[in-house]
Amino acid sequence: EMSASLVGSEMCIRDRAFSVKKCQRSDGFWNCSLTDEFHYGGPETTGTALFLYGMAWGMRNGVLSDEVFGEPALKAWNALMHDAVHPDGFLGYVQGTGKEPKDGQPVGYDSKPDFEDFAIGCYLLAGAEMIKFLTQ
């Protein structure tokens, strides 16, 4: 019974990963609103880092295919490293906290949210998982 549950969980992970992959922007980020680029569109670091973490974990653990998810993961990692991180180490494109996405707008390169340590944690989590995946 446990193995059937695990297989079901892996299928759910794959289905969600494929859905998220389809929403990735050409620059490697994901928008706050996944399906509407005009509704809180623009790069967003926290969600991008968490999606990257999930893809890297899935590939490292054999749940997701490297051939399918390797390119989107690398694209997200490059976007975070080269576009979100400022030369002085500041992390940009971080949405602030709130009940709804509108509460954390506008999100921009220089936006300073009231809860930026959450995004930094997500960035570090994604980076650690990417390193594990790339060095396995």
Side-chain angles (χ1 to χ4, degrees):
E1 187 174 323
M2 181 125 156
S3 63
S5 174
L6 183 60
V7 169
S9 296
E10 288 181 4
M11 287 175 48
C12 182
I13 290 168
R14 276 191 221 98
D15 289 347
R16 289 183 182 177
F18 274 105
S19 295
V20 166
K21 178 181 171 284
K22 290 178 190 175
C23 299
Q24 189 177 31
R25 297 162 42 103
S26 62
D27 62 6
F29 285 97
W30 279 269
N31 292 327
C32 295
S33 176
L34 294 178
T35 60
D36 184 355
E37 66 184 271
F38 300 105
H39 189 72
Y40 310 120
E44 200 283 313
T45 293
T46 307
T48 297
L50 291 173
F51 292 139
L52 170 60
Y53 167 77
M55 285 182 180
W57 183 94
M59 290 185 297
R60 188 172 65 81
N61 287 282
V63 177
L64 299 176
S65 162
D66 301 9
E67 292 80 25
V68 174
F69 292 96
E71 183 180 335
L74 286 173
K75 200 158 114 176
W77 182 237
N78 283 325
L80 291 171
M81 286 194 321
H82 300 295
D83 297 329
V85 178
H86 294 211
D88 66 358
F90 178 83
L91 189 61
Y93 300 114
V94 176
Q95 178 175 289
T97 58
K99 187 173 92 174
E100 301 175 31
K102 69 178 180 176
D103 299 332
Q105 300 299 318
V107 174
Y109 181 75
D110 292 320
S111 59
K112 293 182 181 174
D114 55 349
F115 197 72
E116 64 189 76
D117 54 342
F118 178 71
I120 293 167
C122 296
Y123 177 84
L124 294 172
L125 188 67
E129 196 60 39
M130 276 300 286
I131 289 169
K132 288 178 191 175
F133 168 67
L134 293 171
T135 59
Q136 73 176 5

